Amino acid sequence: MTAQLQKKICMLGGFSVGKTSLVRRYIQSVFSDAYLTTVGVKVDKKTVDLPDKTVNLIIWDLAGEDDIQSLRMSYMRGASGYVLVADGTRHTTLDVALSLRDRVESEYGSLPFVLLLNKNDLTDQWTVSDAEIASMRQKGWWVRSSSARNGEGVEDAFKDLATRLSR
Amino acid sequence: MPGLPQHLADRLQNVVYSELSVAYLEIDANLVLVGSGGHLSNHGLADLQLGAPAVEQAYFLEGLLPLFESPYFVPSVELAGGRVADLHFHLESGTTWLLLLDVTAERDGKRRLQQKAYEMTLLEEKQAQLNCRLEAANAALLATQRELEAARDAIREELRRKQIELTEARTLQLALVPPPYRDAPGNCALTVDVVLEPAKEVGGDLVDHFCIGSNLLVLVLGDVSGKGAAAALMMARTHSLFRGLAERPDAAELFGKPEAALRIVNRTLSAGNASCMFVTLLIAAYDVAATRLTYVRAGHLPPFLRRLEGTLEKLAHAGGPPLGLLQEAVYASASVDLSPGDQLLIFTDGITEASDPADRLFGDANVANFVAQCEVRGPALLQGLLKRVEAFEDGLPPSDDKAAILLGLESRQQA
């Protein structure tokens, strides 16, 4: 019988970086160009089958961080890990993501996370350099580019996080 | 609420209960669901089983239990059914109570406001990005413009330098043209007048005359193939070769039979002539004592001889090929006796091949007519001829160099 785990993870990042779209792509395999902002949090569940166990990811898709609404850290309570999301075409959102990581770390300690540089289908507007990505990877971070539009890198990110949470 | 009558407090409770679709869960210390009630189906919690683990039935509770802070509030949570609830946790005697209050309408209102604010912010970001790109593109354009301006300035400077060089070359070339000759070495006075008008800064037409001793007057008129600097260099070389021969001790013999001088110059020009440039040339030597003109045409146009009485002769005796093509070319001369009053006009094809706007050539016949009918002599005749050609061209830029030599014999009385 395969062991079964249930883990809460949170989607963190600036507004309009594609957190909700990544969750929809991951859970429902769909994508919409229409932007609909998230207020509060939306909770979903996705079962990940790993070689030796099954992990139920309880995904808390948090409203984006911005000037007029700061992140409610209470949403993070009980989270085992998180997905940091930045929009690769808006460099300021990478700064927001890194700032969020610092806040989580100071409040909840070091948690497993993956950093997704989303919207990599918009290559002509890309603003994050390879050197920056290499620099973050040197810190041992799991950094990937992704596209909620075409699904690139999405499944891998959640699976990688689930694998690390299951150890 | 202190002071509120019980029936109003009950009314308030009913309003809150119904309008916020209140539901509750009761969870014991072992995290087992032991009680529930209210509008559970509104929150997607219709199929709860008492006695079973709470987190397995309400997965949004994952990580939140056991409660470590009471009361604990998690606002605006969208659950599986699509409704949005505020979650109020309360710990009492080991039992966790969770109240769910529907705030979907409130969330939707907030979302509308937030959506507009974010869209505005996104537009501003987009505008800022576009401005950055425009500024970058503008900077790149300015840099390119500066490069182009620098390149243009360098080209202008190079052109200016070349223009100066060409002007100097033109000055030097025109300096090779000898001044008019006026003398009376024999029974009659001799005049030689010349014109040279390069089509560009420098040209390939050669005009020269010089005396060998006191008995021989040599006229040289040539036309180098091509135009511009290369033709000018070839012309200067040819000029210097003739002038070199004129300095030799046997110059009188060489130029007395001008085909001999021509043969030497041809050999020199033909040797190593990789560019295959050539020179059509007419050389004429006037023997003062014999009043005889000996000439050789090396592929050049025949000159016109106007006699005193007005008749016109075309000196068309073939002498040989242009200089520079055949090293062993043989040249033959022809002679004609001259008398006072005669005039000899030697010219290049820049005159006969001048064209009008209809692309017609000025031609030999016009030159002959002009010379035959001209009532003036000497430099006035040459200038008149050039004006006639210029009028024929009707404003078109000259297509070729123009050069001519006019030899005049005057009786001593005329002179």
Side-chain angles (χ1 to χ4, degrees), chain A residues 35 66 69 75 77 89-90, chain B residues 68 75 114-115 125 129:
Chain A
Y35 169 55
D66 70 305
Q69 179 184 324
Y75 288 136
R77 178 150 289 168
T89 69
R90 293 157 60 212
Chain B
F68 34 77
Q114 185 168 294
Q115 181 88 19
E125 280 186 13
Q129 277 186 338

Side-chain angles (χ1 to χ4, degrees), chain B residues 293-307:
Chain B
L293 183 84
T294 304
Y295 68 94
V296 182
R297 281 198 313 119
H300 200 79
L301 295 171
F304 287 116
L305 175 62
R306 175 179 157 160
R307 296 296 188 178

Side-chain angles (χ1 to χ4, degrees), chain B residues 283-327:
Chain B
I283 183 167
Y286 177 66
D287 186 321
V288 173
T291 64
R292 170 166 289 190
L293 183 84
T294 304
Y295 68 94
V296 182
R297 281 198 313 119
H300 200 79
L301 295 171
F304 287 116
L305 175 62
R306 175 179 157 160
R307 296 296 188 178
L308 174 64
E309 66 276 15
T311 58
L312 200 66
E313 297 173 24
K314 192 173 186 178
L315 305 185
H317 183 271
L323 307 180
L325 293 178
L326 301 168
Q327 202 163 358

Side-chain angles (χ1 to χ4, degrees), chain A residues 6 8 15-16 35-43 60 64 66 69 72 74-75 77-78 89-90 125, chain B residues 55 59-60 62-63 68-69 72 74-78 107 111 114-115 118 121-122 125-126 129 133:
Chain A
Q6 188 155 281
K8 172 182 174 179
F15 74 93
S16 192
Y35 169 55
L36 188 61
T37 183
T38 301
V39 172
V41 61
K42 185 173 187 304
V43 184
W60 284 50
D66 70 305
Q69 179 184 324
R72 277 184 181 273
S74 62
Y75 288 136
R77 178 150 289 168
T89 69
R90 293 157 60 212
Q125 300 170 35
Chain B
V55 175
Y59 58 77
F60 59 88
E62 177 62 43
F68 34 77
E69 184 182 339
Y72 190 66
V74 183
S76 195
V77 179
E78 184 175 333
R107 191 282 308 265
R111 180 150 73 181
Q114 185 168 294
Q115 181 88 19
Y118 281 176
T121 306
L122 283 173
E125 280 186 13
K126 203 79 179 170
Q129 277 186 338
R133 284 189 192 178

